[in-house]
């Protein structure tokens, strides 16, 4: 029992230490020569995510969410940027497609103040971050999600970057993983009382539809990585609940 507790503490500490020690190594080649905000998405291209697993009121399995990049706008001499997009949501059960955004702002980011704003508190589809302002953007993203997530953060391990958060009202932990272009590869939502390594108990799992060369390998390292995030957040949230009581 004592060794298990020590392991949990170790994993929690690793989730705090690794972003600092590995972040610069993993993304050293993504910084452009100028200060203009760079995105890894392409204007006119549509990015599609597929629901692989779903319960808890999320979109059913085999549903799809699509984001088409209409334009990338630069304001204030390149210090502020906006992604103008179309977002559609296809429900595989009803076979209906609904429009979430139509030629509207999906995300805006001010690189001077690290202010990140989404059109809504996104909890069921992919996110996108700028390549050369990843840390500042994610800091702004955490500020934006105040009031939605009670615990949140980000982590980078061996080139895999995540944004994660725990929502106390539902006991769900959300984890977004991103590929080298700053696009969500996987989004998972897990009940905090479930076993983080048991995929059958995951409430929601969304995967970017792309070539195998660009996507994150779903091998043992990926599952360990997700388990690391889950275990760390569970430990931190339990400690906070104990202190409150």
């Amino acid at each position: 029992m004592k060794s298990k507790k020590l392991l949990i503490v170790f994993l929690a500490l690793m989730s705090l230490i690794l972003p600092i020690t590995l972040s610069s190594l993993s993304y050293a080649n993504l910084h452009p020569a100028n200060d203009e905000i760079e995105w890894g998405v392409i204007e006119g291209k549509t990015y599609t995510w597929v629901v692989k697993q779903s319960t808890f009121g999320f979109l059913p399995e085999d549903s799809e969410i699509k984001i088409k990049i209409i334009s990338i706008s630069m304001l204030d001499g390149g210090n502020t940027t906006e992604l103008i997009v179309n977002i559609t949501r296809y429900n595989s059960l009803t076979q209906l497609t609904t429009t979430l955004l139509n030629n509207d702002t999906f995300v805006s980011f001010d690189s001077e103040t690290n202010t990140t704003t989404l059109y809504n508190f996104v909890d069921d589809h992919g996110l996108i971050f700028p390549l050369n302002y990843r840390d500042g953007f994610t800091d702004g993203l955490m500020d934006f999600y105040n009031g939605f997530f009670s615990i949140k953060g980000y982590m980078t391990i061996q080139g895999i970057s995540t944004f994660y958060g725990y929502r106390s009202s539902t006991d769900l932990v959300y984890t977004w993983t991103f590929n080298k272009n700053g696009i969500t590869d996987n989004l998972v939502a897990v009940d905090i009382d479930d076993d983080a390594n048991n995929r059958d108990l995951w409430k929601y799992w969304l995967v970017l539809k792309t070539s195998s060369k660009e996507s994150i390998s779903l091998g043992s390292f990926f599952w360990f990585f997700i388990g690391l995030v889950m275990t760390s957040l569970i430990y931190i949230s339990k400690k906070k609940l104990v202190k409150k009581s």
Side-chain angles (χ1 to χ4, degrees):
M1 188 68 181
K2 184 177 180 180
S3 61
K4 183 178 181 181
K5 184 177 180 181
L6 289 174
L7 176 61
I8 293 175
V9 173
F10 170 75
L11 292 176
L13 291 174
M14 287 288 285
S15 73
L16 301 175
I17 296 171
L18 282 171
I20 300 173
T21 59
L22 296 180
S23 176
S24 60
L25 294 177
S26 301
Y27 282 83
N29 61 336
L30 293 180
H31 293 262
N34 54 55
D35 293 328
E36 186 175 281
I37 300 170
E38 295 288 338
W39 296 89
V41 293
I42 302 171
E43 290 184 349
K45 184 172 181 178
T46 299
Y47 300 87
T48 303
W49 289 265
V50 181
V51 178
K52 293 295 184 180
Q53 190 166 318
S54 178
T55 58
F56 209 77
F58 288 103
L59 281 173
E61 293 181 16
D62 298 324
S63 296
E64 293 186 351
I65 294 178
K66 296 184 177 182
I67 298 181
K68 181 178 181 179
I69 310 299
I70 303 300
S71 64
I72 302 174
S73 301
M74 296 295 176
L75 307 171
D76 300 328
N79 293 323
T80 301
T81 182
E82 292 182 343
L83 291 186
I84 309 299
V85 307
N86 294 340
I87 302 181
T88 57
R89 179 188 285 151
Y90 169 73
N91 188 310
S92 63
L93 186 61
T94 63
Q95 297 186 342
L96 295 176
T97 299
T98 57
T99 299
L100 301 182
L101 289 180
N102 182 16
N103 199 26
D104 288 321
T105 301
F106 169 38
V107 57
S108 64
F109 173 63
D110 185 334
S111 62
E112 287 190 330
T113 62
N114 289 340
T115 301
T116 304
T117 306
L118 303 179
Y119 76 97
N120 199 359
F121 289 126
V122 175
D123 68 347
D124 68 345
H125 67 71
L127 301 173
I128 302 168
F129 63 67
L131 300 182
N132 55 335
Y133 285 96
R134 177 181 58 86
D135 291 337
F137 179 89
T138 313
D139 287 341
L141 195 62
M142 288 194 291
D143 289 338
F144 175 81
Y145 271 100
N146 278 335
F148 186 86
F149 289 138
S150 56
I151 302 173
K152 52 203 175 304
Y154 60 98
M155 182 190 307
T156 300
I157 303 178
Q158 294 186 7
I160 300 179
S161 183
T162 70
F163 171 70
Y164 55 85
Y166 165 60
R167 194 175 186 191
S168 58
S169 61
T170 58
D171 267 352
L172 291 183
V173 176
Y174 296 78
T175 306
W176 285 262
T177 59
F178 298 88
N179 64 18
K180 64 182 181 180
N181 293 318
I183 306 168
T184 297
D185 264 317
N186 290 265
L187 164 61
V188 295
V190 182
D191 192 303
I192 201 169
D193 292 325
D194 288 342
D195 181 359
N197 295 315
N198 188 343
R199 304 176 206 173
D200 294 333
L201 296 178
W202 291 14
K203 304 305 179 185
Y204 190 60
W205 180 18
L206 190 75
V207 178
L208 179 66
K209 184 187 289 186
T210 184
S211 65
S212 58
K213 292 182 180 179
E214 296 176 349
S215 61
I216 293 177
S217 173
L218 299 181
S220 58
F221 176 75
F222 176 79
W223 300 118
F224 167 78
F225 179 75
I226 294 297
L228 172 62
V229 173
M230 307 303 299
T231 304
S232 301
L233 279 178
I234 289 171
Y235 171 77
I236 295 171
S237 62
K238 295 287 187 183
K239 292 290 287 184
K240 286 198 170 186
L241 290 175
V242 169
K243 289 181 178 180
K244 288 181 180 180
S245 60

